Amino acid sequence: MKKSLFLFLTVLLGAFVALAGCGNQGSSSQGDGGKEQKAAELPDTGDLTINKDIPDDSKILSKGPNGEPAISAKTLRLTEEEIAKVKEGKYKAAIVMHYAGNDWSKAQIDGLKAAFKRMGIEVIAVTDGQFKAEKQVSDIETVLAKSPDIIVSIPVDPVSTAEAYKKAAAAGVKLVFMDNAPQGLTAGKDYVSVVSADNYGNGVEAAEIMAAQLKEKGKIGVVYHDADFFVTRQRTEAFEKTIKEKYPNIEIVARSGITDPNTGEKIASAMLTKNPELDGIFAVWDVPAEGVLAAARTAGRDDLIITTIDLGTNVALEIASSGIVKGLGAQLPYDQGVAEAILAAKSLLGGETPPYVAVPSLNVTEENILESWKMVYHTDAPDVIQQAAQ
């Protein structure tokens, strides 16, 4: 019954594929037959923190882009007194995205907007770099002409965008980065902080789910991101290290890299043809995982186990429907946005900020899919996912 429902829902949501949390293509955040999910609001009183439901003892396994130790975003707090001081400044902020058309980006933007609204900071621009460095450089120049006090951004490419960010830093703009810092910029001097998900932790979660599903024995493949992208590299390293060190009876027998996330099906098909004995495949984020899923169905491999990272709509549906995507490590992008806004405000007030902050990882399986969706996006899961989970 669940399988039939999932097939129907997949057709219904077939248009939702775009760019994923790591900065490539992934699912959109429209769930209910195309109806946009309402952005969550933050409480208008009390101290500002990230989601209080995230366990305080959540361990952060990632390190920063320069090897910095991670500070948990759970430790960040902006008091009501500090919020009042920020409001007096009548500051302006711009959000300069690498890509803005996916679940992860929308949730980040929603978190930033909600936090800035609470602080009385005007968001004067939200730009979409369309994953093109030259477009993002142009966006930065356009935004600088509006004299923002804050820019929150994720570099499309840490090298080719660096000069544009240096120009912003020289103009006195407080820079807060998502996931990675441009080359040649220094924390505390040129930028406030880098805020990321615990991508290493999410890789570990995906490995643990894979091992549990395989009963700690089998042969698997890995679809990794064949690019110099800090967060996706962390995910794959964590997954492979966890499997090799903790589960000696699980063997990684195939590895294939992607540069275009939409080639996941082609790469997975070749992997399955060459290695028909595979029991499972890990894909570095949800869009390549969708390609692995399609390849498995074409090959008649309903027994394949798939794990991934990022809670996009389509993989959430597959998990909710008892499908072959069995689980994933999820980022908490809304809370990442709130953390970025808190750090920007701290900097405006002259406070010290850590160079690298990470939001804890989240283990997502069929058993907690609806609760996980609400934790990730601060809103209830779309009706189609709720129906699939029944």
Side-chain angles (χ1 to χ4, degrees), residues 185-208:
L185 275 71
T186 303
K189 176 186 174 185
D190 303 307
Y191 66 90
V192 175
S193 185
V194 173
V195 185
S196 177
D198 182 7
N199 281 284
Y200 196 97
N202 279 322
V204 171
E205 299 290 4
E208 296 290 358

Side-chain angles (χ1 to χ4, degrees), residues 86 112 156 268 378:
V86 173
L112 282 162
V156 169
H378 287 232

Side-chain angles (χ1 to χ4, degrees), residues 22 60-70 179-180 194-207 224-225 227-242 255 282 284 309 331 356-359:
C22 62
I60 304 295
L61 302 181
S62 295
K63 291 187 176 181
N66 298 307
E68 309 96 324
D179 287 354
N180 200 5
V194 173
V195 185
S196 177
D198 182 7
N199 281 284
Y200 196 97
N202 279 322
V204 171
E205 299 290 4
Y224 64 93
H225 188 201
D228 183 17
F229 211 87
F230 172 66
V231 296
T232 52
R233 185 170 64 249
Q234 278 196 317
R235 298 173 181 187
T236 302
E237 288 175 357
F239 179 88
E240 294 184 338
K241 185 176 181 181
T242 302
R255 298 181 82 252
F282 164 74
V284 68
I309 293 170
Q331 303 185 73
Y356 179 64
V357 173
V359 181

Side-chain angles (χ1 to χ4, degrees), residues 270-327:
M271 184 181 287
L272 288 169
T273 298
K274 188 175 180 180
N275 305 275
E277 76 282 9
L278 287 182
D279 301 297
I281 296 178
F282 164 74
V284 68
W285 74 89
D286 62 320
V287 173
E290 291 173 10
V292 176
L293 174 61
R297 286 180 174 152
T298 299
R301 289 296 312 276
D302 288 341
D303 60 328
L304 191 72
I305 303 299
I306 301 171
T307 65
T308 188
I309 293 170
D310 290 340
L311 188 63
T313 303
N314 293 330
V315 291
L317 276 169
E318 181 73 5
I319 293 169
S321 304
S322 303
I324 63 176
V325 179
K326 295 300 183 182

Side-chain angles (χ1 to χ4, degrees), residues 133 136-137 140 155-169 175 177 181-185 190:
Q136 188 171 53
V137 168
I140 294 167
V156 169
D157 176 83
V159 177
S160 56
T161 61
E163 288 303 317
Y165 288 115
K166 287 178 181 178
K167 182 178 178 181
L175 295 173
F177 291 111
Q183 190 176 82
L185 275 71
D190 303 307

Side-chain angles (χ1 to χ4, degrees), residues 208-216 305 307 326-327 365 367:
E208 296 290 358
I209 295 168
M210 177 69 77
Q213 289 290 325
L214 294 177
K215 296 182 171 51
E216 301 185 12
I305 303 299
T307 65
K326 295 300 183 182
T365 62
E367 287 69 30

